[in-house]
Amino acid sequence: MVNFFEANDIAHRSQIIKYNTDVLYPRNFKLLEDTAINIRFNDSNRSFLHFLSLYSVQKLAEKIKVDLTRCNLFNQQLKTVYVPQKLLENKALFFSHGFFPAGIRRRGIPVLTNTGFMTNEYEGIYNDDERWHEVNQICKMSSQSTFITFSSNNAIERFCSFAPYMKYKVKLAPFLIPKIGKLTEDEMYNKHFGKVLKICFVGIDGKRKGLSNVLAAIRNIYQRDNNLFTNCEFSFVTRDPVVLPQSINYKHYKYLANASVLKLLRESAIFYMPTLKDAYGLVYLEAMGNGCAVLCDNEMPRMEIFDQSLAHFTDPNSLSQIELGLMRLISDKVYRFEMATKSYMRFSKHYSFETVSSYYKDLFQETVDAEHFFVNTKHRLIA
């Protein structure tokens, strides 16, 4: 999906172009229309051609048994967006997410390029030397960008440890998630101290999100102490099968719309997902914003999201740790409530829609100002 944003109060009523390939992410940016940024949202289906190109290359690679997507030439072509010149007229800024806008800065248009630098564990790499190719690619990309952005401070730190000379080019671009209604004190108290304790797991790809360990932990606890779950109601949102003893109160949804997921999280006291593999995990932010106490894995960026201490961290491969964590969150009401309250306050301060949308407004303006400064300085040097 290609999304174009027109901003009336940035760089003298200029326009912003935004390119984004994720479906939910641009929808969230559309919500900026309701803020002081005053952005008008438009879209087209142009990126579908890129999807078809990538799909074709992957199928060809399967036939000839060569991973073409690892070839620089194919990667460059598949991830490059050639923007029609007409769309560049009077534009103030191009915000690229996922794909790279080619040849734009020659027109003096500022470019924010969003990219990622995942942990070695996520990439399945255990030697830093294997990351240099990726670092060099990002550095080359940055030569055509005013700034490059990452979604977490940890990603910035790890990338800059490889390329410290890039610090001046790197900015944080937090994920923008939908508006979440504020919880009242009564709502927060009642769901943590009420008669029914609701516990939810939200991971459509259950295998990757650690569902098998979650279910095994529940079954193991039940065998030792079936009374612990007497007042518990579990909910699972996953396309994978869920099998638990019939006497355990649980619901299984193969799919729920985002609004329904947010409603489920708002009703739940515990969000329970020690994921085996996640690049970031937006659902953890949604759980925080809905007042859940969270049990999650102990990898970055979850450790950063919860400020090292505001979730119950476990080794996602350790059944014993997962079991102990769930047992404590269920049985220790004070611990659960304090953790949920503190993480909710952190969400409001750092990750809420209002906070992040305001941050983006400043980031857009900084990018426009920085590019204009660069162009003016370059012209003076030439003169």
Side-chain angles (χ1 to χ4, degrees):
M1 178 178 286
V2 183
N3 310 285
F4 303 99
F5 297 79
E6 181 173 301
N8 293 329
D9 66 339
I10 297 180
H12 307 294
R13 300 174 63 82
S14 55
Q15 290 181 317
I16 289 175
I17 304 175
K18 179 178 185 314
Y19 185 87
N20 198 310
T21 56
D22 187 273
V23 176
L24 289 178
Y25 199 61
R27 286 181 188 170
N28 295 343
F29 268 94
K30 186 180 186 301
L31 296 173
L32 287 173
E33 291 178 353
D34 300 328
T35 73
I37 298 178
N38 192 21
I39 290 178
R40 191 179 69 199
F41 178 86
N42 303 279
D43 65 76
S44 78
N45 63 353
R46 189 169 175 273
S47 69
F48 186 65
L49 297 177
H50 293 278
F51 167 77
L52 289 178
S53 299
L54 181 60
Y55 179 79
S56 299
V57 169
Q58 288 173 336
K59 287 299 179 184
L60 176 61
E62 290 175 7
K63 286 188 176 181
I64 65 176
K65 298 182 179 180
V66 175
D67 188 0
L68 297 176
T69 60
R70 295 182 68 87
C71 299
N72 290 343
L73 178 61
F74 279 105
N75 270 324
Q76 181 180 354
Q77 292 301 317
L78 290 171
K79 291 191 174 184
T80 299
V81 180
Y82 296 98
V83 181
Q85 294 298 301
K86 187 175 181 181
L87 293 176
L88 298 179
E89 295 173 3
N90 304 316
K91 301 298 186 288
L93 181 137
F94 194 109
F95 186 18
S96 167
H97 178 79
F99 287 78
F100 184 71
I104 287 182
R105 286 191 78 201
R106 290 197 297 270
R107 300 286 300 272
I109 296 175
V111 177
L112 261 180
T113 301
N114 182 254
T115 186
F117 196 70
M118 308 306 176
T119 62
N120 287 2
E121 291 78 9
Y122 181 85
E123 297 288 356
I125 295 173
Y126 298 97
N127 186 338
D128 282 349
D129 291 341
E130 297 180 45
R131 305 303 296 272
W132 278 108
H133 175 73
E134 182 182 357
V135 170
N136 290 333
Q137 290 296 103
I138 294 174
C139 290
K140 287 179 182 178
M141 183 193 301
S142 75
S143 67
Q144 289 297 314
S145 306
T146 310
F147 295 122
I148 56 174
T149 68
F150 296 88
S151 301
S152 70
N153 284 308
N154 179 258
I156 291 174
E157 291 172 7
R158 283 185 285 104
F159 173 74
C160 288
S161 70
F162 286 88
Y165 50 87
M166 292 293 295
K167 285 184 179 179
Y168 79 100
K169 274 264 188 169
V170 173
K171 297 291 180 181
L172 177 68
F175 282 102
L176 185 69
I177 65 174
K179 290 182 179 179
I180 295 176
K182 294 186 179 298
L183 283 167
T184 66
E185 290 184 12
D186 286 345
E187 284 180 301
M188 179 71 91
Y189 185 88
N190 289 337
K191 74 173 185 172
H192 284 279
F193 293 96
K195 292 182 178 179
V196 178
L197 183 68
K198 295 189 176 183
I199 304 166
C200 69
F201 172 100
V202 180
I204 295 299
D205 183 359
K207 184 177 180 180
R208 182 166 59 88
K209 301 290 186 175
L211 176 64
S212 60
N213 285 344
V214 163
L215 296 176
I218 294 172
R219 287 192 290 263
N220 289 347
I221 294 170
Y222 180 78
Q223 288 178 357
R224 293 194 302 268
D225 181 9
N226 55 23
N227 292 324
L228 184 65
F229 299 146
T230 301
N231 298 318
C232 294
E233 178 183 294
F234 290 89
S235 294
F236 299 90
V237 183
T238 179
R239 65 187 174 209
D240 293 356
V242 174
V243 180
L244 289 173
Q246 290 185 352
S247 55
I248 293 180
N249 184 10
Y250 73 96
K251 299 177 181 178
H252 178 205
Y253 308 92
K254 289 187 176 181
Y255 171 80
L256 283 180
N258 186 248
S260 297
V261 169
L262 294 178
K263 183 175 183 295
L264 178 63
L265 291 169
R266 193 177 186 88
E267 295 170 351
S268 299
I270 298 171
F271 179 72
Y272 177 48
M273 194 173 80
T275 184
L276 294 172
K277 186 176 183 179
D278 237 316
Y280 189 86
L282 292 180
V283 70
Y284 294 102
L285 296 183
E286 294 171 335
M288 289 176 75
N290 281 288
C292 296
V294 174
L295 186 149
C296 64
D297 64 302
N298 55 4
E299 298 290 344
M300 288 294 180
R302 265 74 62 200
M303 294 287 286
E304 178 180 326
I305 291 173
F306 292 99
D307 197 27
Q308 314 294 324
S309 63
L310 301 182
H312 192 103
F313 301 107
T314 67
D315 177 347
N317 293 299
S318 171
L319 269 181
S320 61
Q321 285 192 26
I322 295 171
E323 291 167 22
L324 290 172
L326 180 59
M327 290 168 66
R328 184 172 183 190
L329 284 173
I330 291 175
S331 59
D332 192 338
K333 296 180 181 180
V334 174
Y335 172 72
R336 180 177 70 235
F337 183 73
E338 286 184 354
M339 182 177 291
T341 301
K342 288 178 181 178
S343 65
Y344 177 76
M345 292 171 64
R346 176 171 171 78
F347 173 87
S348 300
K349 184 176 180 180
H350 296 284
Y351 300 113
S352 68
F353 178 86
E354 293 76 14
T355 297
V356 177
S357 61
S358 177
Y359 173 86
Y360 269 107
K361 178 181 178 180
D362 295 339
L363 178 60
F364 291 154
Q365 184 65 62
E366 182 183 2
T367 305
V368 171
D369 292 344
E371 185 65 23
H372 288 174
F373 175 79
F374 171 78
V375 171
N376 292 335
T377 302
K378 184 178 179 180
H379 285 170
R380 286 198 300 271
L381 290 173
I382 293 174

